[in-house]
Each structure stands twice: as structure tokens, then as C-alpha cells.
Amino acid sequence: MEIWINPACSKCRSALTLLDAEGAEYTVRRYLEDVPSEDELRAVLDRLGLEPWDITRTQEDAAKDLGMKEWARDAATRDRWVRALAEHPRLIQRPIITADDGTAVVGRTEEAVRDALSR
């Protein structure tokens, strides 16, 4: 499995602690440094079963500057959202764990991380 993290994020550190405690094998992707492409974001969104607005941190300054809270949330604007996430990776909700079975979860809770571990 792979986990996308921001090391400054307490939820990310908690997820790593739990993965380590459970002896999980995983790779870490510091997505602020190794920024996912638009195609990678689309693939992860498909694995999550979510839309880009579902994983956007709309309270971040970049989101406010872009006026994202006012953006439509529909198929016609999906690419605009994905492009914004690729251009401003700090907007991506974290941590994201991609499981070995092809699924993914946003691991903000212990239950979500355990869900990823069970796959």
C-alpha cells in the first residue's frame, strides 16, 4: 500500500503510527514534494469512489483565493477541480491510503486506516 502524507499533518502522523503498530508494509509519498499529476489524481479518485470536491480542503488559503467554494460540483467542472488539486497539492485531503486490492481511503480516522489494513 501507499500513503500520501504531509509530514506536518497530525492525522498523517497518526495514520503512520497505526500502520507501524500493525506491522503494515507501505511506501510513503510526500505529495507536496512529489506532486500527483492530474491523471494520478483521477485514478485515486476512482479508487476512492469520490469526486475531487470531496477531497478538497476548501478552508486553505489557495482554495479561498481561487473561490472554490463557489465552483459548481458537477461533471462539467470536474477537470477544473482536478487541475486545481494538481496545481495546489496542499488542497488535497490527507492522508490518502491506496490499498493493495485497488481501493483507497482517506485515512483521517483510526477506523479508516484499519479499513485500509483489512483490504
Side-chain angles (χ1 to χ4, degrees):
M1 74 176 58
E2 181 177 78
I3 181 170
W4 293 7
I5 68 157
N6 172 352
C9 168
S10 63
K11 299 284 187 189
C12 293
R13 292 191 306 271
S14 294
L16 292 172
T17 298
L18 180 55
L19 291 174
D20 289 341
E22 295 296 324
E25 291 185 26
Y26 61 91
T27 57
V28 171
R29 180 172 185 170
R30 293 178 180 220
Y31 70 92
L32 296 178
E33 298 163 15
D34 182 9
V35 178
S37 68
E38 290 181 32
D39 286 341
E40 287 177 299
L41 286 165
R42 285 186 194 92
V44 164
L45 286 164
D46 288 345
R47 291 174 78 169
L48 287 166
L50 297 173
E51 292 296 338
W53 45 85
D54 296 326
I55 65 162
T56 299
R57 298 170 53 86
T58 58
Q59 294 303 316
E60 291 285 333
D61 288 341
K64 290 176 183 175
D65 292 345
L66 293 169
M68 293 179 82
K69 280 191 173 184
E70 309 307 317
W71 290 8
R73 296 174 182 217
D74 56 25
T77 60
R78 189 175 200 265
D79 285 342
R80 182 182 187 196
W81 283 85
V82 170
R83 189 169 35 261
L85 292 175
E87 291 173 359
H88 306 277
R90 189 167 300 280
L91 298 178
I92 300 170
Q93 191 60 263
R94 62 199 183 244
I96 293 177
I97 303 169
T98 55
D100 293 335
D101 70 350
T103 61
V105 299
V106 178
R108 295 193 56 77
T109 64
E110 181 177 333
E111 294 78 21
V113 176
R114 290 195 182 282
D115 182 38
L117 284 167
S118 71
R119 297 175 184 208

